[in-house]
Amino acid sequence: MRIEELRASYEQSLQEAVDRNDVYAMTHTLDEMTVSDVTAVIERMNPRDRAVVYRLLSKDRAAQVFDALDAELRGELVNGLTDKEVTAVLDELDPDDAVELLDELPAGVASKMLRTLDRSQRELTAIVLGYPRGSVGRRMSPQLIHVLETASAAEVMEHVRARSKDSETLYTIPVLTADRIVTGVVSLRDVIEAAPDTLVRDFMVKPEMVHARTPIETAARRCAEAKVLAMPVVDSEQRLVGIFTIDDALTVLEDEESEDLARMSGSEPLRRPYMSTSIITLMRSRIIWLLVLAIGATLTVQVLEVFEATLSQMLVLSVFVPLLIGTGGNTGNQAATTVTRALALGDVSPRDSFKVIGREFLVGLMLGLSLGTLGFLLTTAVYDFHIGLVIGLTLVCVCTMAATVGGVMPMAAQALRADPAVFSNPFITTFVDASGLLIYFGIAKLVLEI
């Protein structure tokens, strides 16, 4: 049986047991499910049923499921649990995960929950809370294994054994000076393979580090690009403050990609699984952008009204309006998506604006010449030479303009410290529609002399 079919079967059995309030059947079904199965199924349940099922999980499985849930669902689940149950959940969370949960809760509730932690957990959580939202310091773990550069491989192994339960990761170990300054990293594999009396400084490697106040997305991309399991997080004096792991980096990148895709398509990110999102929330995530785009579309209407007399003299021109503005919008969106992605990956930066403009201008011109030639030949064959010339020239100009604008807008947004995705496809489509019509009717008046 495929995973999807198996989970559908579990979901049906579990929901039926919940509806009957049959605790035995719920427990029996949960015992057959893996942690990933439980997570996938309860994400689709309503808040009340989700809390009921969660309470039936064993302590260890409950902690694993809670850790796998999206941040918003965690906050929602907490509202359905008692104070004692919430305290048990927090005790099992790593400090960075606890902070992510606290960020989703009202300030009063978060403060109350923070006070329920034991002293050591509260101190570790406070370290992470001390960094601004959106920084890697807010997502790092202060629980880590580190060693001095003068330690031997045998001493490192003994230290790893003693601290393994309290560390976020065992596989990347920062190496420090006596002043806690990071000078290198060693992998657990290197430690195991080294002779017991070999000093760490003799086989450590140069570290990939990140400053605690670095934007979280930047840190996540650096971690992924460097292909490391973890990166030491340091303060302004290069002193170790925490560790940022690849699993957190991949979660950040997944969230950022979902956000960019949503905004480029003209909606707000849901920040939670689709099936657990209410109809009202889905509507709200889209309505604002639709209103903005509808208002922007009035520009197109205004342009058509200005050239109403031109259309009345040559009605055939109206036939090509959807083709031309559609081609222009698609060309602009392609350029914007490509440049937005390049910005996200660090392939380009605002200082490359003029190079990007030049490249997109040439790409747009080449696309326009290709499509314009084809449009000219087909339109001339069906209508006449002059109409074909208008369509061909318009495609050349519109594609060139759209690609250039599509490349410029994400760069401008980045320079203004705005989200490039917000300034990409929706606004480009509106701008290109209006300007494309101006180009079209301008060329038509010149060629057809109307």
Short mmCIF file of all heavy atoms in Angstrom, two decimals, residues 316-378:
data_model
loop_
_atom_site.label_atom_id
_atom_site.label_comp_id
_atom_site.label_asym_id
_atom_site.label_seq_id
_atom_site.Cartn_x
_atom_site.Cartn_y
_atom_site.Cartn_z
N VAL A 316 -9.60 45.30 -36.25
CA VAL A 316 -8.75 44.12 -36.21
C VAL A 316 -7.66 44.24 -35.15
O VAL A 316 -7.16 43.24 -34.63
CB VAL A 316 -8.12 43.86 -37.60
CG1 VAL A 316 -7.08 44.93 -37.94
CG2 VAL A 316 -7.48 42.48 -37.66
N LEU A 317 -7.30 45.48 -34.77
CA LEU A 317 -6.28 45.67 -33.75
C LEU A 317 -6.69 45.07 -32.40
O LEU A 317 -5.84 44.60 -31.63
CB LEU A 317 -5.98 47.17 -33.58
CG LEU A 317 -5.34 47.88 -34.77
CD1 LEU A 317 -5.18 49.36 -34.47
CD2 LEU A 317 -3.98 47.25 -35.11
N SER A 318 -7.99 45.11 -32.11
CA SER A 318 -8.47 44.59 -30.82
C SER A 318 -8.26 43.09 -30.69
O SER A 318 -8.15 42.56 -29.59
CB SER A 318 -9.95 44.93 -30.63
OG SER A 318 -10.74 44.30 -31.62
N VAL A 319 -8.19 42.39 -31.83
CA VAL A 319 -8.02 40.93 -31.80
C VAL A 319 -6.69 40.54 -31.16
O VAL A 319 -6.59 39.50 -30.49
CB VAL A 319 -8.12 40.37 -33.24
CG1 VAL A 319 -7.80 38.88 -33.26
CG2 VAL A 319 -9.49 40.64 -33.83
N PHE A 320 -5.67 41.39 -31.34
CA PHE A 320 -4.33 41.04 -30.90
C PHE A 320 -3.98 41.54 -29.49
O PHE A 320 -2.90 41.25 -28.99
CB PHE A 320 -3.29 41.58 -31.90
CG PHE A 320 -3.40 40.97 -33.26
CD1 PHE A 320 -4.12 41.60 -34.26
CD2 PHE A 320 -2.82 39.74 -33.54
CE1 PHE A 320 -4.24 41.04 -35.52
CE2 PHE A 320 -2.92 39.17 -34.79
CZ PHE A 320 -3.64 39.82 -35.80
N VAL A 321 -4.90 42.27 -28.87
CA VAL A 321 -4.61 42.82 -27.53
C VAL A 321 -4.28 41.72 -26.51
O VAL A 321 -3.26 41.80 -25.82
CB VAL A 321 -5.77 43.71 -27.04
CG1 VAL A 321 -5.61 44.03 -25.55
CG2 VAL A 321 -5.82 44.99 -27.86
N PRO A 322 -5.11 40.68 -26.38
CA PRO A 322 -4.77 39.63 -25.40
C PRO A 322 -3.42 38.96 -25.67
O PRO A 322 -2.67 38.66 -24.73
CB PRO A 322 -5.92 38.62 -25.54
CG PRO A 322 -7.06 39.41 -26.12
CD PRO A 322 -6.40 40.40 -27.03
N LEU A 323 -3.12 38.72 -26.95
CA LEU A 323 -1.85 38.09 -27.32
C LEU A 323 -0.67 38.94 -26.88
O LEU A 323 0.28 38.44 -26.26
CB LEU A 323 -1.80 37.86 -28.83
CG LEU A 323 -0.43 37.50 -29.41
CD1 LEU A 323 0.01 36.12 -28.94
CD2 LEU A 323 -0.43 37.60 -30.93
N LEU A 324 -0.73 40.23 -27.16
CA LEU A 324 0.41 41.10 -26.92
C LEU A 324 0.65 41.35 -25.43
O LEU A 324 1.78 41.26 -24.95
CB LEU A 324 0.22 42.42 -27.66
CG LEU A 324 0.18 42.29 -29.19
CD1 LEU A 324 -0.18 43.61 -29.84
CD2 LEU A 324 1.52 41.78 -29.72
N ILE A 325 -0.43 41.66 -24.70
CA ILE A 325 -0.22 41.93 -23.27
C ILE A 325 0.10 40.63 -22.52
O ILE A 325 0.83 40.64 -21.53
CB ILE A 325 -1.43 42.65 -22.63
CG1 ILE A 325 -2.69 41.78 -22.67
CG2 ILE A 325 -1.67 43.98 -23.31
CD1 ILE A 325 -3.87 42.42 -21.95
N GLY A 326 -0.44 39.51 -23.00
CA GLY A 326 -0.11 38.22 -22.38
C GLY A 326 1.35 37.86 -22.60
O GLY A 326 2.03 37.41 -21.66
N THR A 327 1.84 38.06 -23.80
CA THR A 327 3.24 37.78 -24.10
C THR A 327 4.16 38.68 -23.30
O THR A 327 5.18 38.23 -22.74
CB THR A 327 3.52 37.96 -25.60
OG1 THR A 327 2.67 37.08 -26.36
CG2 THR A 327 4.98 37.65 -25.93
N GLY A 328 3.81 39.96 -23.22
CA GLY A 328 4.61 40.90 -22.44
C GLY A 328 4.64 40.54 -20.97
O GLY A 328 5.70 40.53 -20.33
N GLY A 329 3.47 40.22 -20.41
CA GLY A 329 3.41 39.84 -18.99
C GLY A 329 4.21 38.59 -18.70
O GLY A 329 4.94 38.53 -17.69
N ASN A 330 4.11 37.59 -19.56
CA ASN A 330 4.87 36.35 -19.36
C ASN A 330 6.37 36.59 -19.45
O ASN A 330 7.15 36.03 -18.67
CB ASN A 330 4.45 35.31 -20.40
CG ASN A 330 3.05 34.79 -20.17
OD1 ASN A 330 2.54 34.85 -19.05
ND2 ASN A 330 2.41 34.30 -21.21
N THR A 331 6.78 37.43 -20.39
CA THR A 331 8.21 37.75 -20.54
C THR A 331 8.74 38.45 -19.30
O THR A 331 9.81 38.12 -18.79
CB THR A 331 8.44 38.63 -21.78
OG1 THR A 331 7.93 37.97 -22.94
CG2 THR A 331 9.92 38.92 -21.97
N GLY A 332 7.97 39.42 -18.80
CA GLY A 332 8.38 40.14 -17.60
C GLY A 332 8.44 39.23 -16.38
O GLY A 332 9.36 39.32 -15.57
N ASN A 333 7.45 38.34 -16.26
CA ASN A 333 7.42 37.43 -15.12
C ASN A 333 8.59 36.45 -15.15
O ASN A 333 9.16 36.10 -14.10
CB ASN A 333 6.10 36.65 -15.11
CG ASN A 333 4.93 37.53 -14.73
OD1 ASN A 333 5.10 38.59 -14.14
ND2 ASN A 333 3.73 37.10 -15.07
N GLN A 334 8.94 35.98 -16.34
CA GLN A 334 10.09 35.09 -16.46
C GLN A 334 11.36 35.77 -15.98
O GLN A 334 12.15 35.19 -15.21
CB GLN A 334 10.26 34.64 -17.92
CG GLN A 334 9.23 33.64 -18.40
CD GLN A 334 9.43 33.27 -19.86
OE1 GLN A 334 10.02 34.04 -20.62
NE2 GLN A 334 8.95 32.10 -20.24
N ALA A 335 11.56 37.02 -16.41
CA ALA A 335 12.76 37.76 -16.01
C ALA A 335 12.76 38.01 -14.51
O ALA A 335 13.79 37.83 -13.84
CB ALA A 335 12.82 39.09 -16.77
N ALA A 336 11.61 38.42 -13.97
CA ALA A 336 11.52 38.73 -12.54
C ALA A 336 11.78 37.49 -11.70
O ALA A 336 12.49 37.55 -10.69
CB ALA A 336 10.14 39.30 -12.22
N THR A 337 11.21 36.37 -12.10
CA THR A 337 11.41 35.12 -11.34
C THR A 337 12.87 34.70 -11.36
O THR A 337 13.44 34.29 -10.34
CB THR A 337 10.53 34.00 -11.92
OG1 THR A 337 9.16 34.40 -11.85
CG2 THR A 337 10.72 32.70 -11.15
N THR A 338 13.50 34.82 -12.53
CA THR A 338 14.91 34.44 -12.66
C THR A 338 15.81 35.32 -11.79
O THR A 338 16.69 34.82 -11.07
CB THR A 338 15.36 34.54 -14.12
OG1 THR A 338 14.54 33.69 -14.93
CG2 THR A 338 16.82 34.14 -14.28
N VAL A 339 15.58 36.63 -11.83
CA VAL A 339 16.41 37.56 -11.06
C VAL A 339 16.13 37.43 -9.57
O VAL A 339 17.05 37.49 -8.74
CB VAL A 339 16.20 39.01 -11.55
CG1 VAL A 339 16.96 39.98 -10.66
CG2 VAL A 339 16.65 39.15 -12.99
N THR A 340 14.86 37.25 -9.19
CA THR A 340 14.52 37.06 -7.77
C THR A 340 15.23 35.83 -7.22
O THR A 340 15.75 35.84 -6.10
CB THR A 340 13.00 36.92 -7.59
OG1 THR A 340 12.35 38.11 -8.04
CG2 THR A 340 12.64 36.68 -6.14
N ARG A 341 15.23 34.77 -7.99
CA ARG A 341 15.91 33.54 -7.57
C ARG A 341 17.41 33.77 -7.46
O ARG A 341 18.06 33.29 -6.52
CB ARG A 341 15.62 32.43 -8.59
CG ARG A 341 16.21 31.08 -8.25
CD ARG A 341 15.62 30.51 -6.99
NE ARG A 341 16.10 29.16 -6.71
CZ ARG A 341 15.95 28.55 -5.56
NH1 ARG A 341 15.33 29.17 -4.57
NH2 ARG A 341 16.39 27.32 -5.38
N ALA A 342 17.98 34.50 -8.41
CA ALA A 342 19.42 34.78 -8.37
C ALA A 342 19.78 35.62 -7.15
O ALA A 342 20.82 35.42 -6.52
CB ALA A 342 19.84 35.50 -9.65
N LEU A 343 18.90 36.56 -6.78
CA LEU A 343 19.12 37.36 -5.58
C LEU A 343 19.09 36.48 -4.34
O LEU A 343 19.92 36.63 -3.43
CB LEU A 343 18.05 38.45 -5.47
CG LEU A 343 18.21 39.67 -6.38
CD1 LEU A 343 16.93 40.50 -6.36
CD2 LEU A 343 19.39 40.53 -5.93
N ALA A 344 18.12 35.58 -4.29
CA ALA A 344 17.98 34.70 -3.13
C ALA A 344 19.20 33.81 -2.96
O ALA A 344 19.63 33.53 -1.83
CB ALA A 344 16.72 33.86 -3.25
N LEU A 345 19.77 33.36 -4.07
CA LEU A 345 20.94 32.47 -4.02
C LEU A 345 22.25 33.22 -3.85
O LEU A 345 23.30 32.61 -3.68
CB LEU A 345 21.00 31.62 -5.29
CG LEU A 345 19.86 30.62 -5.49
CD1 LEU A 345 19.97 29.96 -6.86
CD2 LEU A 345 19.87 29.56 -4.39
N GLY A 346 22.18 34.56 -3.91
CA GLY A 346 23.39 35.35 -3.78
C GLY A 346 24.20 35.43 -5.06
O GLY A 346 25.36 35.87 -5.04
N ASP A 347 23.61 35.02 -6.20
CA ASP A 347 24.33 35.07 -7.47
C ASP A 347 24.51 36.50 -7.96
O ASP A 347 25.45 36.81 -8.70
CB ASP A 347 23.59 34.26 -8.55
CG ASP A 347 23.60 32.78 -8.26
OD1 ASP A 347 24.47 32.35 -7.48
OD2 ASP A 347 22.75 32.05 -8.80
N VAL A 348 23.56 37.38 -7.60
CA VAL A 348 23.65 38.79 -7.95
C VAL A 348 23.30 39.62 -6.72
O VAL A 348 22.70 39.11 -5.77
CB VAL A 348 22.70 39.17 -9.11
CG1 VAL A 348 23.07 38.42 -10.38
CG2 VAL A 348 21.25 38.90 -8.74
N SER A 349 23.66 40.89 -6.75
CA SER A 349 23.34 41.83 -5.67
C SER A 349 22.99 43.17 -6.30
O SER A 349 23.18 43.36 -7.51
CB SER A 349 24.54 41.97 -4.73
OG SER A 349 25.64 42.55 -5.41
N PRO A 350 22.46 44.13 -5.52
CA PRO A 350 22.09 45.43 -6.10
C PRO A 350 23.22 46.11 -6.87
O PRO A 350 22.94 46.88 -7.80
CB PRO A 350 21.68 46.25 -4.87
CG PRO A 350 21.12 45.22 -3.93
CD PRO A 350 22.01 44.01 -4.12
N ARG A 351 24.47 45.84 -6.50
CA ARG A 351 25.57 46.48 -7.24
C ARG A 351 25.69 45.97 -8.67
O ARG A 351 26.39 46.56 -9.50
CB ARG A 351 26.88 46.28 -6.49
CG ARG A 351 27.41 44.87 -6.48
CD ARG A 351 28.80 44.80 -5.85
NE ARG A 351 29.33 43.44 -5.85
CZ ARG A 351 29.13 42.55 -4.90
NH1 ARG A 351 28.38 42.88 -3.86
NH2 ARG A 351 29.65 41.34 -4.97
N ASP A 352 25.02 44.84 -8.96
CA ASP A 352 25.05 44.29 -10.32
C ASP A 352 23.88 44.78 -11.17
O ASP A 352 23.61 44.23 -12.23
CB ASP A 352 24.99 42.75 -10.25
CG ASP A 352 26.18 42.16 -9.51
OD1 ASP A 352 27.31 42.59 -9.79
OD2 ASP A 352 25.96 41.28 -8.66
N SER A 353 23.18 45.82 -10.70
CA SER A 353 21.95 46.28 -11.36
C SER A 353 22.16 46.57 -12.84
O SER A 353 21.38 46.13 -13.70
CB SER A 353 21.39 47.51 -10.66
OG SER A 353 20.99 47.20 -9.34
N PHE A 354 23.20 47.33 -13.17
CA PHE A 354 23.40 47.70 -14.57
C PHE A 354 23.74 46.49 -15.44
O PHE A 354 23.34 46.41 -16.60
CB PHE A 354 24.49 48.77 -14.68
CG PHE A 354 24.07 50.11 -14.14
CD1 PHE A 354 24.60 50.59 -12.96
CD2 PHE A 354 23.12 50.88 -14.81
CE1 PHE A 354 24.20 51.81 -12.44
CE2 PHE A 354 22.72 52.10 -14.31
CZ PHE A 354 23.26 52.58 -13.12
N LYS A 355 24.48 45.54 -14.87
CA LYS A 355 24.78 44.31 -15.62
C LYS A 355 23.50 43.52 -15.87
O LYS A 355 23.30 42.98 -16.95
CB LYS A 355 25.79 43.46 -14.85
CG LYS A 355 27.19 44.06 -14.76
CD LYS A 355 28.13 43.13 -14.01
CE LYS A 355 29.53 43.73 -13.91
NZ LYS A 355 30.46 42.86 -13.15
N VAL A 356 22.65 43.43 -14.84
CA VAL A 356 21.39 42.71 -15.00
C VAL A 356 20.51 43.39 -16.04
O VAL A 356 19.89 42.73 -16.88
CB VAL A 356 20.65 42.62 -13.64
CG1 VAL A 356 19.25 42.06 -13.82
CG2 VAL A 356 21.43 41.74 -12.67
N ILE A 357 20.43 44.72 -15.98
CA ILE A 357 19.64 45.47 -16.96
C ILE A 357 20.13 45.17 -18.38
O ILE A 357 19.33 44.91 -19.29
CB ILE A 357 19.70 46.98 -16.68
CG1 ILE A 357 18.97 47.31 -15.38
CG2 ILE A 357 19.10 47.78 -17.84
CD1 ILE A 357 19.16 48.74 -14.92
N GLY A 358 21.44 45.21 -18.55
CA GLY A 358 21.99 44.94 -19.88
C GLY A 358 21.70 43.53 -20.36
O GLY A 358 21.32 43.32 -21.53
N ARG A 359 21.85 42.56 -19.48
CA ARG A 359 21.60 41.17 -19.86
C ARG A 359 20.13 40.95 -20.20
O ARG A 359 19.80 40.31 -21.21
CB ARG A 359 22.03 40.23 -18.73
CG ARG A 359 23.53 40.17 -18.51
CD ARG A 359 23.88 39.39 -17.26
NE ARG A 359 23.52 37.98 -17.40
CZ ARG A 359 24.28 37.06 -17.96
NH1 ARG A 359 25.47 37.39 -18.43
NH2 ARG A 359 23.89 35.80 -18.04
N GLU A 360 19.24 41.46 -19.36
CA GLU A 360 17.82 41.26 -19.62
C GLU A 360 17.34 42.03 -20.84
O GLU A 360 16.44 41.58 -21.55
CB GLU A 360 16.99 41.65 -18.39
CG GLU A 360 17.15 40.70 -17.21
CD GLU A 360 16.77 39.27 -17.54
OE1 GLU A 360 15.85 39.07 -18.38
OE2 GLU A 360 17.40 38.34 -17.01
N PHE A 361 17.95 43.19 -21.11
CA PHE A 361 17.62 43.93 -22.32
C PHE A 361 17.95 43.09 -23.55
O PHE A 361 17.14 42.97 -24.49
CB PHE A 361 18.39 45.26 -22.37
CG PHE A 361 18.18 46.03 -23.64
CD1 PHE A 361 17.10 46.89 -23.79
CD2 PHE A 361 19.08 45.89 -24.71
CE1 PHE A 361 16.91 47.60 -24.98
CE2 PHE A 361 18.90 46.58 -25.89
CZ PHE A 361 17.82 47.45 -26.03
N LEU A 362 19.14 42.48 -23.55
CA LEU A 362 19.55 41.67 -24.70
C LEU A 362 18.70 40.40 -24.83
O LEU A 362 18.33 40.00 -25.94
CB LEU A 362 21.03 41.29 -24.57
CG LEU A 362 22.03 42.44 -24.73
CD1 LEU A 362 23.45 41.96 -24.46
CD2 LEU A 362 21.93 43.04 -26.13
N VAL A 363 18.39 39.77 -23.67
CA VAL A 363 17.53 38.58 -23.71
C VAL A 363 16.16 38.95 -24.26
O VAL A 363 15.60 38.25 -25.11
CB VAL A 363 17.40 37.96 -22.30
CG1 VAL A 363 16.33 36.88 -22.30
CG2 VAL A 363 18.72 37.38 -21.84
N GLY A 364 15.59 40.06 -23.75
CA GLY A 364 14.28 40.50 -24.22
C GLY A 364 14.29 40.83 -25.70
O GLY A 364 13.34 40.51 -26.43
N LEU A 365 15.37 41.48 -26.15
CA LEU A 365 15.48 41.83 -27.57
C LEU A 365 15.53 40.58 -28.44
O LEU A 365 14.86 40.50 -29.49
CB LEU A 365 16.72 42.69 -27.79
CG LEU A 365 17.00 43.14 -29.23
CD1 LEU A 365 15.84 43.99 -29.77
CD2 LEU A 365 18.32 43.92 -29.30
N MET A 366 16.31 39.60 -28.03
CA MET A 366 16.41 38.35 -28.79
C MET A 366 15.08 37.60 -28.81
O MET A 366 14.66 37.07 -29.85
CB MET A 366 17.51 37.47 -28.21
CG MET A 366 18.91 38.06 -28.38
SD MET A 366 20.19 37.13 -27.50
CE MET A 366 20.16 35.61 -28.41
N LEU A 367 14.40 37.57 -27.65
CA LEU A 367 13.07 36.94 -27.61
C LEU A 367 12.11 37.69 -28.52
O LEU A 367 11.32 37.08 -29.26
CB LEU A 367 12.54 36.93 -26.18
CG LEU A 367 13.21 35.96 -25.19
CD1 LEU A 367 12.72 36.24 -23.77
CD2 LEU A 367 12.91 34.51 -25.57
N GLY A 368 12.16 39.02 -28.45
CA GLY A 368 11.27 39.84 -29.27
C GLY A 368 11.50 39.64 -30.76
O GLY A 368 10.54 39.54 -31.53
N LEU A 369 12.77 39.56 -31.15
CA LEU A 369 13.08 39.35 -32.58
C LEU A 369 12.57 37.99 -33.04
O LEU A 369 12.04 37.86 -34.16
CB LEU A 369 14.58 39.46 -32.81
CG LEU A 369 15.17 40.88 -32.72
CD1 LEU A 369 16.69 40.83 -32.76
CD2 LEU A 369 14.63 41.76 -33.85
N SER A 370 12.72 36.98 -32.19
CA SER A 370 12.26 35.64 -32.56
C SER A 370 10.74 35.59 -32.67
O SER A 370 10.18 35.14 -33.69
CB SER A 370 12.74 34.62 -31.52
OG SER A 370 14.14 34.62 -31.42
N LEU A 371 10.06 36.06 -31.61
CA LEU A 371 8.59 36.04 -31.62
C LEU A 371 8.03 37.04 -32.62
O LEU A 371 7.01 36.77 -33.27
CB LEU A 371 8.06 36.36 -30.22
CG LEU A 371 8.38 35.33 -29.13
CD1 LEU A 371 7.89 35.83 -27.77
CD2 LEU A 371 7.75 33.98 -29.45
N GLY A 372 8.70 38.19 -32.75
CA GLY A 372 8.22 39.21 -33.69
C GLY A 372 8.29 38.73 -35.13
O GLY A 372 7.37 39.00 -35.93
N THR A 373 9.38 38.05 -35.48
CA THR A 373 9.50 37.51 -36.85
C THR A 373 8.39 36.50 -37.14
O THR A 373 7.75 36.54 -38.20
CB THR A 373 10.87 36.84 -37.03
OG1 THR A 373 11.90 37.81 -36.80
CG2 THR A 373 11.01 36.28 -38.44
N LEU A 374 8.16 35.61 -36.17
CA LEU A 374 7.10 34.62 -36.33
C LEU A 374 5.73 35.29 -36.42
O LEU A 374 4.90 34.94 -37.28
CB LEU A 374 7.12 33.63 -35.15
CG LEU A 374 6.10 32.50 -35.19
CD1 LEU A 374 6.30 31.63 -36.43
CD2 LEU A 374 6.20 31.65 -33.93
N GLY A 375 5.50 36.28 -35.53
CA GLY A 375 4.23 36.99 -35.55
C GLY A 375 4.02 37.75 -36.85
O GLY A 375 2.90 37.78 -37.39
N PHE A 376 5.08 38.37 -37.38
CA PHE A 376 4.99 39.10 -38.64
C PHE A 376 4.60 38.17 -39.79
O PHE A 376 3.70 38.47 -40.59
CB PHE A 376 6.33 39.77 -38.94
CG PHE A 376 6.46 40.29 -40.33
CD1 PHE A 376 5.80 41.44 -40.73
CD2 PHE A 376 7.24 39.62 -41.26
CE1 PHE A 376 5.90 41.91 -42.03
CE2 PHE A 376 7.36 40.08 -42.57
CZ PHE A 376 6.68 41.23 -42.94
N LEU A 377 5.25 37.01 -39.88
CA LEU A 377 4.99 36.08 -40.98
C LEU A 377 3.56 35.53 -40.92
O LEU A 377 2.85 35.50 -41.93
CB LEU A 377 6.00 34.93 -40.94
CG LEU A 377 7.47 35.33 -41.21
CD1 LEU A 377 8.38 34.12 -41.01
CD2 LEU A 377 7.61 35.87 -42.62
N LEU A 378 3.11 35.12 -39.73
CA LEU A 378 1.78 34.53 -39.60
C LEU A 378 0.69 35.57 -39.83
O LEU A 378 -0.31 35.31 -40.51
CB LEU A 378 1.62 33.90 -38.21
CG LEU A 378 2.48 32.66 -37.93
CD1 LEU A 378 2.30 32.20 -36.48
CD2 LEU A 378 2.11 31.53 -38.89
#
